[in-house]
Structure formats: structure tokens, C-alpha cells
Amino acid sequence: MKRFLFSIGLCIGLLFLITNCSSTKNKPTPAIAAKPEVIADKQIEEPIDNETYIPIPKSERKNFFPETALETHWVDSVYNQMSFDEKVGQLFMVAAYSNKDAAHVADVEKLVAENKVGGLIFFQGGPMRQAQLTNKYQSLAKVPLFIGIDAEWGLSMRIDSTFRYPFNMTLGAIKDLKLVEKVGVSLAKESKRMGIHFNFAPVLDINTNPKNPIIGYRSFGENKVNVTEHAIALMNGAQGQGIFSTGKHFPGHGDTATDSHSTLPIVNASRDHLEKVELYPYKRMFDEGLVSVMVAHLNVPSLEPRQGFPTSLSYDVVTNLLKKELGFDGLIFTDALNMKGASNFRSPGDIDLEAFMAGNDILLFAENVPLAAEKICVAYQDSLISDSRLAQSVKKILSYKFKAGLNKYKSIEGINLYNDLNPKSNETLQYELYENAVTVVKNDGNILPIKNLNQKIAYVKLGDDTNSSFVKTLKKYTEVTEVSDTNIDTLMTKLKDYETVIIGYHKSDKSWWKAPELTVPDLQIIDSIASKKKVIIDCFAKPYSLSRILNFNELPGVIVSYQNGDIAQEVSAELIFGAIGAKGLLPVSINNTLKAGDGITTQKLNRLGFSTPESVGMSSEKLKQIETYAQKAIDGKMTPGMQVLVARKGKVIYQKSFGKQTYEGEVKVKNSDLYDVASVTKMVATLPNIMQVYDQKKVTLETTLGEMLPIFRGSNKQKITFKELLSHYGRMQAWIPFYTATLDSAKMPMDKYYRKIYSEGFTKRVSDSLYLRDDYHDTIMKRIIESPLIDKKEYRYSDFTFIILKQYLEKTMGRHLDELATDNFYKTLGMNNTLFNPLTKFDKSVIAPTEIDNYFRHDVIQGYVHDMEAAMEDGVGGHAGIFSNAMDIAKMMQMYLQKGNYGGIQYFSEATFNDFNTCWFCPEGNRRGLGFDKQQISGAGPTCGCVSMSSFGHTGFTGTIAWADPETDIVYVLLSNRTYPDSNLPNKLSKENIREDIQKVIQEAIIEK
């Protein structure tokens, strides 16, 4: 009972003091205690950067938010109507969360409504919840609230379901400051959408201490100029959009070994060193228009001689140094006053008073606002705080509220909030940022990029975080085998046959405050592999992580990718294989050899890379319509599933799979699955080899078939020219069903031609348990030679063309077509998923079936070519037989688009490509190029009718298309198994124009030529 009565009495007493603060003052007492003797501390022994920045006159400083007469009038009007309590309330910015309970919300509401706090700093929560709470709190405020947030790498630092930009250290590796400015613009737009006025960034700390436990990734680096220029760029982007930037942590938290959240860190730097290094960014930023500063809780003896006295509470630091010496007139925030670096020094209330008297304007994260306000009131009553001092901060606060538009406050609109905070442009920017940040610090023997894909490459993972995007992207370039074992000897045995080993060190971005370090076992693995193999090590963590490697001499390739997100992994894999060149520079030193500012540029090979549609001038929103047509095809039983890929300007910007391998099955189509590409085989296997022969002058456009293959001499086809043959203009029939002659009256394979097991003379496998006699190829060729020509000379598509060309290639080159295609193209293009007879390498489960055959092989055709003639050729036809996926086919199409060049290899001359992509008989109504199909001249055809006449490609019977357009620089690939389960049913995929409609969507998605 006594305690209760005492509490009542205390409250009444405080209330009395507060109500009398504005009218009664006591006799003044000293505001600052006498200074104790200076304690001598050991100064840092690092060399001082002697470059000095001389600030420009204050009158010439850049001003993002110039004062106006309207602003002055509003500030004075509001200030003059305020009570003393309301003025004091403006000094506080309190913590708010959108993931806490109703009690927390009620507490904040009370602080806003009753204590009249001036602002909120939001911490953890979600965007919609925070928006709703912001609206609620703002509705309770007499003067609209400042809303602030720590969004150093985006709102995601505090708010879920929002975009995460790279850490500052990653940005510090980027030379192009316009990109950093773009980040500032994007951050500002997202902040503005959330009703936020202050982003407590950029971090201006120069991270000269690799052991710094709290700054690290948050710093742009260890070089003061690099840090400053990146910070200016970020600020220019943000403040240019009307969002206030806050430089922190003044006077510099970079050279600390402890965390101010838990203790008071000491900075043992001389005043001269601080002037030239730690204060350098602030001086320049002030001249560039920085509007606010956050003062850190640090022990800096050279600035504040009182032992253990935090800089945030120091009059010498805040007023004498920051305001007077450096001439800073903007808003000054304390760092959060609940942090142990400050709260261990003073109790709540006392610490707030001390911070305000030191010269701070806004007291951040006050733990007890009513008590702090009472303390300030008492100090005012005792004349320790003057009217002018209070007005100085409060009017400054009001002035910036006007600049923020709070004189005409508008609530946050919840509609479309998530999409507005996560625009497609963010992902495009993210790719660009990492493409410019990833840094090569060693490239002995030009091991990067990997040019030779015809070698065995392994990947070994270190670290405890995910690596799937990295590995998946590596495998899109060539065959890369994941190898792992906890035992080093066993691991080395597994790596025995590999020439190059890529080691990825993967640590989670979520643990950014932790110091990732290679463990002793990690170092032993690196050492063992490097002693035997060519090694490329890729660090998806802070550069400091590599500092434990004592000897880099055995590591020819060293990459720092900084972070372990999906895009960082994807871009880094692109760099390894040359789709992009390295541009980044180390923002911090790894050791005495690999120093800040180091970075090696690498060669860009013209291999396909990966990005977003917007990065190449296309609309991701429009491309979403592809899914509509894909689903229409699947729902309409036109095909069980499909793969679709779109690339533009050398970047794959759309790659998705839809549906299942079969209607009745459960196996969903994956991007890596293989499809029978049918007649696309002509363009990706036979044609490129023919182009090489032509390039070597072994044939000309006028070479006749009789000259190419003597077996045609004396036939009705001997005078067909090379040009006519490849243009399907030689009057040949479309095809002959060769297989029917080998069936009995019940349409079953005759014993004369087939065996159920592999036998002497019967080695050509056409299905799981069916082998054709070896000499039947001669019968096929004889029937082609003896077949009649059509009466009229006109375009007639014929499989004979490429059956004949296969025969020609194999006779001329002395090798089988499958060997020629693999050795001449697939190995070096990285088409490791492209081959005839895929069951020799792949499991049947990754191959989409093409048909349930009830007329020839009487089996499910899966992993065996659907085309009957190609099946009778042991699965290798000049016109059919290739199995592949969309990614691999895109590589071949990109090679064509680049006129015979890919990955730095010239496969044939530009002149040869131009000859083959010419429509020689267009005047006669024949649209074909040499081997390539072309845009229809009129009426229906293989395309949407909306691509250019210079475009080229091919379609396939199984429901495939591969098309490239030089004018728009687009590659389009669609693979399906529309023939499953019955190829004799009507071709609904073709009749419904699914392939063409998707191509039309792609064309309509172009927003920049």
C-alpha cells in the first residue's frame, strides 16, 4: 500500500513539474562537468592517408531541399502553436514494430497521442502491416510523424516480402557509380511508397579493421575515396527522389573491434588520422548535400578526453566538431539510445538529456520517453536548455517535415503495395550490379574464362549454405560434375580424372554480421586439390574469408562474388564461362598481395548469358502470356508438356517448362529434360557440318548431286544442284514410309528383317527389343535413288534431302554423323545434353516419350527416335534423331545468329552463313534458305508472320520449333512431345497455332528495338 501511495505521489510531482516547465526557471547551474585529465592511449600504428579534402564554402554546398518562404511560414506557424510538451515530443523518434502484439501497438499509440513524439523508426515486420500501422499512428499525431528505417541494402533489412539489394561492400566493388545511384533511386521509391522519410544510410564507415564485428559488409570498403564516392552516388539517388539520407556512424565506426550494440567500442586514432580518414567522407558528403547524420556510440579519446564517454553524448563531438568545425547544419540523430554502447553509460532519461545537450536534434529509440521528457523539462526549468536551443532543433525538425511533404500528409495506399515494392526493374538492376561487382583477383595462365569445354570439369562445395543456382548455371555451359567426400584421400581419388576443379565457398547472406572463415578442413581440401589440379576458387562471402589462405601461388583462378544469393551465383557462373567479363575491384584487402582496388578484367566470350526481359528491352509482363498458351495446349490435349526458351541480345531471359512428360503420369517436365526434336535435327546436326564442308570449298552452290555422290549418277536426280537440294527445290518426294516394307500382313516386324536381341548382322537397334538387319540402309538409298520426281518444279519439303546429305558427309569425312556433330560442334558449344541415342548416356526418366507405337515397333517410344527411317538407321538420321533440351538448342541458334561464332570459336565464315540464310528462290515462291526454313512469303507458314525476312529456323513433327531473328536479336525455342500418345491423331498443336502464337507474344514483348 505504501508503494502504491508513493507511486501516486511521484506521478503527481512529475506532473506538477511538467506543467510548470514552460513558465518557471531555476537558478542556472553548470551544463557540463569539469573535464578530467586526458588519458593517454596507444595510437594506431597504421600509416595515415595523407590526402586531405578541403571543403568548399558553406554557401556553395549542394542543396537538395532549398528553403522557401512557404516553408518558413509553415514552420513558424506550427512552432508558435505548440506547447512546451509538444516541442519536446518532436525530439523523440521511438521504435515501432509491425510484427509485435496489440500491447506494443497500444504503447506506440500512447507515445504518439499523449507524448506527442516526433517520429517512429520501424524495425521488423511486413509491408502491409507496417503500412496499416503507419496510417494509424499518423492519424493520431497532431503534427505528422517522421518515419525512418534502417534500409542499408533495402527495406528487406527490416521488412519481409521486400527486395534485397547487394550489401554496401558488394556495391563498393562496382566502378560504375551510376549503377550505385540507381540503387539509391530504387531504395527511395520503395521508401516513399511505404511512407518513409528517412533511410538511415549510407554507411560512411571506412572498414579498415577486418575483424570489425558489426560494420564489415555494411561498409563500402577500406579506401576513404571509394567509400565516399559510392556513398555520394547512393545519396544522390535517394535524395534526388525526395528521401532523406543519413550518413553514419559519425565520427567513424570502421576501425573498431567490438560492437556498440553490446559495449562501447574504442577508436584509438589520432585527431590527425581522423581528419584525414574517418572524417573525409563526411566533409565531402556535406558539400554534396547530405541532410542528416547519425552519431555513433564510440569512445574516441582524441575527440572526447573524458574516459569512456560516448561520442553520441559528447558536446565536443556533436556540437564543437560536427556542427561548428565541419559546419553541418542538417539534422543530427543519435544512434539508438537502447544500445549498450550508450545505455551502459547513463540510465534512460539521463542519457536522452545528455544527448540533447550534446547537440543532437533527434533522440533515436528512447527507452522511456515520459521520463526523458521530464528530464529535459527540468533542465529547461533550470536554464540548462534555452528557448533558442530548443527552437533550433524543433524548427529544424519541422522544416524537414515540410520538405518531406508532411504539411500535406497523405496516407499509404494498400492497393498493389507488394508489386510496387518489388518491381521487375529491381531484378534487372540486381543482375547489372553483380555483373559489375564480381571480382577476379587472380587469373594465372588466363584460366578465366574457361574456353575449352572439351575437358572434364568438377565442382567441389565448401561452406554450409546453398549452391544450387551456381551449379545449375555452371551445368548450362558444359558438363560439370559435383564431387564430394568428407575424406580428403577419397575425394582426391574421385577427382583423379578431372582437369579443372571449381571450388565454391558458400556462406549465408543472412549471417552478414558473422565473420565467415574457411575452416581448417576447408583449407586442407583447397591445398590438396590445388596441388594436383587446376583450381578456380569462387568465394560467395566477404573477401576477408580468403585471408586464411596463406599461399595463393597454387590457385590460378580466384573470384570474389561477395554474396550467396541466386543472382550472385548465376552471374559468377556466367563469368567463369565468359558470358560476361569481370569488372569488379576489391573494396577491401585480402592480404598484403591481394589489396583493395585490385581486380582483373577478363575476356568476354560470346556465350549465352542470363538476365531479365527488361534488361534487353522486353516486357516480362507480356511474356507471362506464354504460360497462357502453354496451358491452353496442355489443357486441350495438344501436348502433355513443353519447354519454352527466349533469348535476346545474348541473354536467356525466359526459360520455363510446363506440364508433364505424359498425360497420365506424375513426372513434371524440367528444363533439363530431353525431347526428340524431330526435323530440328536437320538444322542442329547435319546442316552445321554441311556448312563447314561448304566453307572449306568442297562443294559450291552449283555442285550437282551426281558430283557429290556417285551413286546418283545416271539417276533422275544427278543434276539437282547443292542449292536446289538444300532449298527443297529438286522435285523430290516428301518421304517414303520405308518401314512398311519390313512388316507382315499383321503389321508386325518380319523375321527376315528383325531380331529381338542384338545378333550378328542385326545390330541396328530401333527399340528396346528390336534390331534391324545391318544392310537395310542400302535398300533405303536404292529406293530414294529410284523414286520418281514430282512433275512440277516447285517447293516440296522432303526428308530425302538430309538423308542424302548424311550419306554425303559420312562418305566425305569418313566418320559417322553422330561423331561429326558431337566432335565438331556439341563438345565445344557445351551442348552436352544433345545427342543421338540418348539412352547411351541418360536415364529414360529424363526423356519425354514420343508415342505409344502400335503400328511398327509396338512399344512405348521413349529414348528412341520417333521417326521410323531414322530408327532404321540405328537412331542416327540426317533428318531426325537428335534429342536435346531448349537450352542446348538455343546455343546452336545463338551460334547461327552470331554468324558462325560462339564461345570465341569461328565454326564457319560469316559469308557461309549469309549464303545459307539467303532465300535463293523467293522470286519463284519458295521461301526456303539453304537448310533453314524462313518466314512465309504469304499465307500460313512456320512462323507467326511477324518476324523479319532475315529470320530463320526449323520446326519438327514432334511439336518443336527453333527460330532466330537477326533483326530483333531473338532466339526462340519450343520443344514438346505433341505426338504422345498417338502421332496419327490430328496435329492440334499446329492447327491451333500454339508455336506461332507464342512467337507472336515474344515479338509483342519487345519494348526497345
Side-chain angles (χ1 to χ4, degrees):
M1 187 65 177
K2 288 181 179 178
R3 181 175 297 174
F4 174 76
L5 291 173
F6 173 78
S7 299
I8 294 292
L10 179 61
C11 290
I12 292 172
L14 288 176
L15 182 62
F16 177 81
L17 281 171
I18 293 170
T19 56
N20 284 278
C21 273
S22 59
S23 57
T24 306
K25 289 194 174 187
N26 295 333
K27 187 177 178 180
T29 56
I32 301 173
K35 296 181 180 179
E37 289 185 45
V38 176
I39 307 291
D41 283 297
K42 183 180 178 182
Q43 301 297 312
I44 60 170
E45 298 177 353
E46 296 176 22
I48 295 175
D49 187 337
N50 289 316
E51 182 184 341
T52 302
Y53 177 73
I54 300 174
I56 61 177
K58 284 179 66 173
S59 60
E60 296 177 15
R61 285 178 175 174
K62 186 174 181 179
N63 189 348
F64 283 88
F65 309 98
E67 187 176 351
T68 64
L70 191 61
E71 173 187 323
T72 303
H73 174 76
W74 185 84
V75 169
D76 289 341
S77 174
V78 173
Y79 186 81
N80 292 335
Q81 294 177 49
M82 281 180 160
S83 68
F84 179 83
D85 297 342
E86 290 170 339
K87 293 173 184 176
V88 172
Q90 288 297 306
L91 306 176
F92 296 97
M93 183 175 272
V94 299
Y97 296 77
S98 60
N99 66 348
K100 289 193 174 183
D101 59 15
H104 169 75
V105 174
D107 287 342
V108 177
E109 288 177 338
K110 184 176 180 181
L111 289 169
V112 173
E114 296 182 15
N115 296 101
K116 313 297 183 184
V117 295
L120 306 175
I121 174 173
F122 270 98
F123 288 89
Q124 283 71 26
M128 188 58 72
R129 289 167 286 162
Q130 180 170 317
Q132 291 168 346
L133 285 173
T134 299
N135 288 342
K136 176 185 283 191
Y137 297 144
Q138 289 283 22
S139 71
L140 298 173
K142 182 177 178 181
V143 177
L145 302 162
F146 269 148
I147 305 296
I149 196 166
D150 290 303
E152 295 166 19
W153 52 81
L155 297 178
S156 66
M157 187 172 177
R158 295 290 185 246
I159 308 174
D160 62 37
S161 306
T162 55
F163 195 79
R164 174 177 291 206
Y165 296 90
F167 296 141
N168 286 344
M169 187 169 285
T170 307
L171 297 180
I174 296 172
K175 290 184 285 186
D176 185 354
L177 296 176
K178 287 295 181 185
L179 289 175
V180 182
E181 186 171 336
K182 282 185 181 180
V183 175
V185 169
S186 295
L187 282 170
K189 288 180 178 178
E190 290 155 29
S191 296
K192 188 176 290 186
R193 184 66 180 83
M194 284 295 296
I196 293 166
H197 313 108
F198 280 92
N199 179 7
F200 295 124
V203 172
L204 302 185
D205 302 320
I206 300 161
N207 206 72
T208 52
N209 185 351
K211 300 295 184 182
N212 195 317
I214 192 57
I215 303 303
Y217 263 139
R218 300 167 68 193
S219 168
F220 289 109
E222 69 180 52
N223 178 280
K224 69 180 185 181
V225 176
N226 190 55
V227 167
T228 304
E229 289 177 347
H230 284 74
I232 290 171
L234 198 72
M235 176 195 70
N236 284 340
Q239 294 192 169
Q241 294 294 314
I243 296 299
F244 304 137
S245 292
T246 305
K248 64 185 186 184
H249 305 83
F250 186 84
H253 207 320
D255 188 20
T256 58
T258 54
D259 179 4
S260 54
H261 289 84
S262 56
T263 189
L264 183 65
I266 187 167
V267 177
N268 277 321
S270 68
R271 176 62 187 263
D272 186 49
H273 178 94
L274 292 172
E275 286 284 350
K276 292 177 178 176
V277 181
E278 274 76 12
L279 297 180
Y280 176 90
Y282 291 95
K283 294 174 183 178
R284 283 190 59 188
M285 292 286 282
F286 296 162
D287 285 351
E288 294 294 332
L290 180 68
V291 302
S292 63
V293 167
M294 180 181 289
V295 183
H297 311 307
L298 300 170
N299 177 11
V300 187
S302 62
L303 297 180
E304 171 51 70
R306 287 174 288 182
Q307 187 174 11
F309 200 92
T311 47
S312 54
L313 311 182
S314 169
Y315 186 88
D316 275 347
V317 171
V318 180
T319 297
N320 288 338
L321 174 59
L322 179 57
K323 296 168 91 170
K324 294 181 179 179
E325 290 186 39
L326 299 181
F328 183 65
D329 295 331
L331 278 171
I332 302 173
F333 291 81
T334 66
D335 206 341
L337 294 175
N338 69 325
M339 293 166 60
K340 298 301 181 184
S343 62
N344 283 349
F345 184 77
R346 290 280 190 274
S347 59
D350 291 327
I351 192 173
D352 305 83
L353 174 61
E354 195 91 42
F356 181 66
M357 294 183 67
N360 293 286
D361 297 308
I362 297 181
L363 312 174
L364 198 64
F365 208 143
E367 292 188 275
N368 190 332
V369 172
L371 179 60
E374 187 272 330
K375 295 276 187 179
I376 292 172
C377 177
V378 171
Y380 175 81
Q381 181 186 40
D382 291 342
S383 299
L384 298 179
I385 297 173
S386 66
D387 287 310
S388 61
R389 170 68 188 92
L390 184 62
Q392 181 188 58
S393 287
V394 176
K395 284 192 172 184
K396 195 189 303 183
I397 290 166
L398 291 175
S399 180
Y400 278 96
K401 286 192 174 184
F402 182 91
K403 296 176 194 295
L406 286 173
N407 59 313
K408 296 179 181 179
Y409 168 73
K410 293 180 180 179
S411 62
I412 303 167
E413 176 61 64
I415 297 173
N416 210 41
L417 181 62
Y418 175 82
N419 289 335
D420 290 344
L421 295 176
N422 295 276
K424 291 294 181 183
S425 57
N426 281 3
E427 191 177 359
T428 300
L429 177 58
Q430 193 87 322
Y431 272 100
E432 201 171 1
L433 292 169
Y434 279 104
E435 287 169 1
N436 282 268
V438 176
T439 306
V440 172
V441 295
K442 280 203 73 187
N443 192 23
D444 296 349
N446 290 322
I447 192 172
L448 293 166
I450 296 175
K451 298 182 181 69
N452 177 21
L453 303 185
N454 190 17
Q455 61 170 307
K456 294 197 72 175
I457 301 172
Y459 162 81
V460 174
K461 179 193 174 188
L462 300 178
D464 55 9
D465 201 32
T466 59
N467 65 341
S468 58
S469 291
F470 185 54
V471 174
K472 186 165 62 176
T473 309
L474 289 174
K475 290 182 177 181
K476 287 182 178 181
Y477 287 100
T478 191
E479 194 166 327
V480 176
T481 306
E482 295 178 76
V483 179
S484 64
D485 204 287
T486 54
N487 182 279
I488 293 180
D489 293 335
T490 308
L491 178 66
M492 293 306 298
T493 300
K494 290 180 178 180
L495 291 171
K496 180 183 176 187
D497 296 329
Y498 293 91
E499 184 176 341
T500 300
V501 179
I502 299 167
I503 299 175
Y505 178 57
H506 302 268
K507 298 296 288 185
S508 174
D509 290 355
K510 294 178 182 177
S511 303
W512 58 266
W513 65 90
K514 295 181 181 178
E517 286 188 345
L518 290 162
T519 64
V520 171
D522 290 339
L523 295 168
Q524 290 171 340
I525 289 171
I526 294 169
D527 187 58
S528 297
I529 298 174
S531 67
K532 302 287 185 182
K533 306 292 178 181
K534 290 190 294 185
V535 169
I536 297 167
I537 186 166
D538 199 337
C539 176
F540 296 93
K542 295 177 189 174
Y544 299 132
S545 306
L546 298 174
S547 61
R548 297 195 72 190
I549 299 175
L550 300 180
N551 183 7
F552 281 87
N553 293 335
E554 297 298 321
L555 297 172
V558 180
I559 304 169
V560 179
S561 296
Y562 300 100
Q563 294 179 239
N564 200 42
D566 289 341
I567 292 178
Q569 292 185 28
E570 198 171 290
V571 167
S572 196
E574 290 182 72
L575 186 149
I576 288 173
F577 286 104
I580 62 169
K583 300 176 184 176
L585 301 175
L586 279 178
V588 294
S589 298
I590 295 171
N591 56 27
N592 290 330
T593 304
L594 305 176
K595 296 183 176 181
D598 288 352
I600 301 168
T601 56
T602 58
Q603 182 183 3
K604 181 183 183 298
L605 303 177
N606 52 354
R607 289 182 178 137
L608 282 170
F610 304 89
S611 193
T612 62
E614 283 72 18
S615 71
V616 293
M618 298 187 76
S619 166
S620 55
E621 197 62 33
K622 183 66 179 180
L623 289 174
K624 285 181 181 178
Q625 293 181 18
I626 291 174
E627 186 168 351
T628 302
Y629 287 104
Q631 201 58 49
K632 175 183 175 182
I634 294 164
D635 293 344
K637 301 290 184 181
M638 303 175 206
T639 180
M642 66 174 69
Q643 296 174 347
V644 181
L645 181 147
V646 182
R648 191 180 192 208
K649 298 181 181 179
K651 297 283 189 181
V652 175
I653 49 95
Y654 187 99
Q655 185 183 12
K656 289 188 178 180
S657 294
F658 305 93
K660 301 174 183 177
Q661 288 189 3
T662 64
Y663 292 114
E664 68 279 3
E666 295 299 322
V667 180
K668 291 183 178 180
V669 179
K670 298 187 291 292
N671 288 341
S672 56
D673 285 351
L674 305 185
Y675 278 90
D676 179 340
V677 303
S679 286
V680 173
T681 298
K682 298 178 173 74
M683 185 174 61
V684 300
T686 311
L687 188 62
N689 281 286
I690 286 292
M691 293 172 82
Q692 284 193 337
V693 169
Y694 177 85
D695 205 51
Q696 295 161 8
K697 312 296 184 187
K698 293 180 180 179
V699 290
T700 69
L701 295 178
E702 302 305 322
T703 300
T704 64
L705 189 50
E707 292 170 330
M708 292 171 64
L709 284 170
I711 59 173
F712 281 93
R713 291 174 186 169
S715 75
N716 57 3
K717 302 171 184 66
Q718 68 172 346
K719 292 184 179 180
I720 296 174
T721 65
F722 183 77
K723 181 166 64 176
E724 292 171 330
L725 183 69
L726 280 159
S727 300
H728 297 276
Y729 203 52
R731 297 170 55 204
M732 290 191 291
Q733 296 178 40
W735 75 301
I736 296 174
F738 300 105
Y739 75 98
T740 58
T742 67
L743 305 179
D744 61 21
S745 58
K747 296 186 178 181
M748 298 298 292
M750 290 191 284
D751 291 343
K752 176 182 177 181
Y753 299 107
Y754 297 96
R755 295 289 184 271
K756 291 184 178 181
I757 60 173
Y758 184 93
S759 310
E760 184 178 353
F762 294 82
T763 64
K764 293 190 175 182
R765 193 172 192 174
V766 296
S767 67
D768 275 339
S769 55
L770 198 63
Y771 295 83
L772 177 67
R773 59 189 291 169
D774 295 345
D775 60 0
Y776 201 79
H777 171 74
D778 297 335
T779 302
I780 291 172
M781 291 305 300
K782 185 173 184 295
R783 291 189 67 181
I784 291 173
I785 293 167
E786 295 175 352
S787 65
L789 299 175
I790 61 174
D791 294 334
K792 186 180 179 182
K793 188 173 179 63
E794 62 182 4
Y795 163 60
R796 174 69 64 89
Y797 179 73
S798 175
D799 279 345
F800 291 177
T801 294
F802 282 86
I803 295 172
I804 291 168
L805 288 171
K806 177 203 170 194
Q807 176 94 351
Y808 168 72
L809 280 171
E810 292 184 343
K811 291 289 185 184
T812 302
M813 307 306 293
R815 301 179 68 196
H816 294 298
L817 176 61
D818 54 346
E819 295 171 348
L820 292 170
T822 299
D823 291 345
N824 291 345
F825 292 93
Y826 302 158
K827 285 182 179 179
T828 50
L829 284 169
M831 295 174 65
N832 297 291
N833 301 289
T834 304
L835 72 170
F836 295 95
N837 295 313
L839 293 175
T840 59
K841 180 178 179 180
F842 295 95
D843 187 81
K844 189 176 285 189
S845 63
V846 303
I847 306 169
T850 48
E851 187 173 24
I852 300 175
D853 183 337
N854 57 11
Y855 56 88
F856 172 29
R857 287 168 276 187
H858 301 276
D859 200 355
V860 175
I861 306 305
Q862 186 172 14
Y864 297 95
V865 60
H866 172 266
D867 183 90
M868 291 71 76
E869 195 282 333
M872 297 169 78
E873 297 282 12
D874 205 18
V876 183
H879 64 301
I882 282 292
F883 287 75
S884 188
N885 57 36
M887 184 68 222
D888 267 20
I889 297 296
K891 294 174 185 177
M892 179 67 76
M893 298 306 293
Q894 189 68 27
M895 183 270 289
Y896 284 136
L897 201 56
Q898 293 166 182
K899 298 190 173 184
N901 194 289
Y902 191 86
I905 299 172
Q906 192 71 43
Y907 289 90
F908 42 77
S909 68
E910 288 189 23
T912 288
F913 172 79
N914 291 335
D915 284 348
F916 276 69
N917 194 35
T918 296
C919 179
W920 295 97
F921 299 104
C922 267
E924 288 80 16
N926 179 352
R927 69 173 186 258
R928 290 274 175 168
L930 300 185
F932 294 120
D933 202 353
K934 303 280 288 175
Q935 158 96 328
Q936 56 264 38
I937 297 172
S938 63
T943 75
C944 58
C946 53
V947 290
S948 74
M949 292 304 295
S950 63
S951 70
F952 57 91
H954 218 289
T955 56
F957 182 75
T958 52
T960 60
I961 183 172
W963 210 268
D965 192 339
E967 289 193 17
T968 56
D969 209 359
I970 286 176
V971 169
Y972 161 47
V973 182
L974 183 153
L975 305 182
S976 79
N977 56 334
R978 70 99 199 157
T979 50
Y980 186 89
D982 187 351
S983 67
N984 294 307
L985 292 175
N987 186 349
K988 291 170 66 178
L989 189 81
S990 178
K991 290 183 186 218
E992 292 289 334
N993 295 317
I994 297 297
R995 290 173 291 190
E996 296 89 338
D997 286 344
I998 289 176
Q999 188 174 47
K1000 186 178 180 183
V1001 168
I1002 294 166
Q1003 292 299 116
E1004 291 174 349
I1006 298 171
I1007 52 181
E1008 292 177 14
K1009 298 297 184 185

